[in-house]
């Protein structure tokens, strides 16, 4: 340690108060975090790219400062989607400080990592008050049995109104309208279930029918979204 001459000439004064860092809630206990290894938590959050034309939802499971599990979900450009593959390989096994200072290629993923770092080190995690936190693998629960992101995609124009394109249940194949042409339900096909059925040996058409479902009142059906043939 190098000191300036002015500091060397100063007389020493003993430190009195011993003030710990404020404790953070972390996996069922309060922790005075002083090192990266003191940090544990499970959380997810979002980031966005510089022109705000895409977003990333990042889920991290951190144990003793090290990322044990990472789920990267993106929406935006094709480059962002491919960057997610690289980020998923990079993140696991790194400390959260390493990951914060790693180029994850896409602005949105980098921003998500920054925001999650802040959440985790301040104790703002989903596992803050759960004993021992969440098991590695908990990130997949967000995806459900079909292991697909929960996506909602809607499109609307003033001239023609709304079109449901994709719901949490799956790809929307049609919307139902009442006598006032207002939406009262929709039909969908769960693509995750459909591919599972095909892997089990079902024919594609049979798998399609088996993976179909509906929500709400299906009285009149306005088939699909852009190219429609009314069955009324």
């Amino acid at each position: 340690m190098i000191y300036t001459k002015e500091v060397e000439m100063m007389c020493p004064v003993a430190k009195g108060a011993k003030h710990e860092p404020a404790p953070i809630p972390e996996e069922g206990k309060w922790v005075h975090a002083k090192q990266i290894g003191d940090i544990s938590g499970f959380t997810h959050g979002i980031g966005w790219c510089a022109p705000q034309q895409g977003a990333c939802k990042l889920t991290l499971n951190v144990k003793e400062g090290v990322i044990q599990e990472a789920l990267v979900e993106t929406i935006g450009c094709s480059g962002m989607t491919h960057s997610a593959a690289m980020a998923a390989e990079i993140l696991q096994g790194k400390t959260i400080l390493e990951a914060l200072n790693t180029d994850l290629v896409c602005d949105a993923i980098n921003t998500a990592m920054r925001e999650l770092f802040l959440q985790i080190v301040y104790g703002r995690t989903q596992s803050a008050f759960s004993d021992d936190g969440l098991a590695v693998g908990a990130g997949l629960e967000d995806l459900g049995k079909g292991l697909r992101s929960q996506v909602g995609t809607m499109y609307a124009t003033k001239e023609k109104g709304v079109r449901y394109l994709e719901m949490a249940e799956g790809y929307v194949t049609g919307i139902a309208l009442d006598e006032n042409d207002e939406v009262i339900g929709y039909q969908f096909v769960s693509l995750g279930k459909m591919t599972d059925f095909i892997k089990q040996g079902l024919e594609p058409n049979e798998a399609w029918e088996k993976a179909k479902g509906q929500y709400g009142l299906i009285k009149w059906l306005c088939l699909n979204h852009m190219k429609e043939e009314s069955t009324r």
Side-chain angles (χ1 to χ4, degrees):
M1 189 74 69
I2 300 174
Y3 295 95
T4 65
K5 191 66 175 177
E6 289 81 2
V7 173
E8 286 182 345
M9 297 300 292
M10 291 178 182
C11 62
V13 177
K15 180 180 176 181
K18 184 178 186 299
H19 192 275
E20 293 281 0
I24 60 173
E26 185 177 286
E27 299 196 340
K29 55 185 180 292
W30 292 92
V31 176
H32 293 280
K34 300 177 182 178
Q35 304 177 59
I36 291 297
D38 295 331
I39 302 294
S40 295
F42 177 96
T43 193
H44 46 223
I46 60 169
W48 52 95
C49 63
Q52 299 184 26
Q53 294 174 354
C56 167
K57 179 187 174 187
L58 181 61
T59 303
L60 297 179
N61 198 346
V62 178
K63 303 292 185 184
E64 297 179 347
V66 177
I67 298 172
Q68 302 292 337
E69 177 184 16
L71 172 64
V72 188
E73 301 171 84
T74 61
I75 182 169
C77 67
S78 58
M80 178 184 298
T81 306
H82 286 80
S83 296
M86 182 178 292
E89 291 199 44
I90 290 173
L91 286 171
Q92 27 88 13
K94 285 189 177 293
T95 69
I96 54 173
L97 184 60
E98 285 180 294
L100 183 65
N101 289 287
T102 297
D103 184 5
L104 300 174
V105 185
C106 170
D107 282 348
I109 305 174
N110 285 323
T111 303
M113 184 63 231
R114 180 194 71 198
E115 297 302 312
L116 262 65
F117 179 90
L118 294 174
Q119 288 178 213
I120 295 167
V121 298
Y122 283 113
R124 309 301 202 264
T125 63
Q126 279 71 28
S127 57
F129 299 102
S130 59
D131 289 340
D132 298 322
L134 301 183
V136 175
L140 288 179
E141 293 179 8
D142 275 356
L143 302 181
K145 293 181 180 179
L147 297 182
R148 288 175 56 85
S149 297
Q150 303 296 303
V151 177
T153 307
M154 313 299 157
Y155 177 76
T157 61
K158 182 179 178 182
E159 181 70 21
K160 296 295 184 178
V162 71
R163 300 294 185 274
Y164 295 174
L165 304 181
E166 188 153 356
M167 291 285 198
E169 298 95 335
Y171 175 76
V172 178
T173 56
I175 56 176
L177 309 177
D178 65 10
E179 60 273 12
N180 299 316
D181 288 336
E182 295 179 357
V183 178
I184 56 174
Y186 55 89
Q187 289 185 333
F188 61 88
V189 60
S190 173
L191 298 179
K193 289 182 180 179
M194 179 182 170
T195 53
D196 285 342
F197 290 144
I198 292 174
K199 285 189 290 186
Q200 293 167 12
L202 291 185
E203 290 296 318
N205 287 341
E206 185 180 358
W208 172 273
E209 291 298 324
K210 194 171 181 180
K212 284 169 61 174
Q214 66 182 49
Y215 180 83
L217 301 173
I218 307 296
K219 297 171 77 175
W220 295 293
L221 188 63
C222 194
L223 286 175
N224 222 311
H225 336 286
M226 303 301 179
K227 191 176 180 181
E228 298 163 346
E229 295 177 8
S230 176
T231 60
R232 293 172 60 173

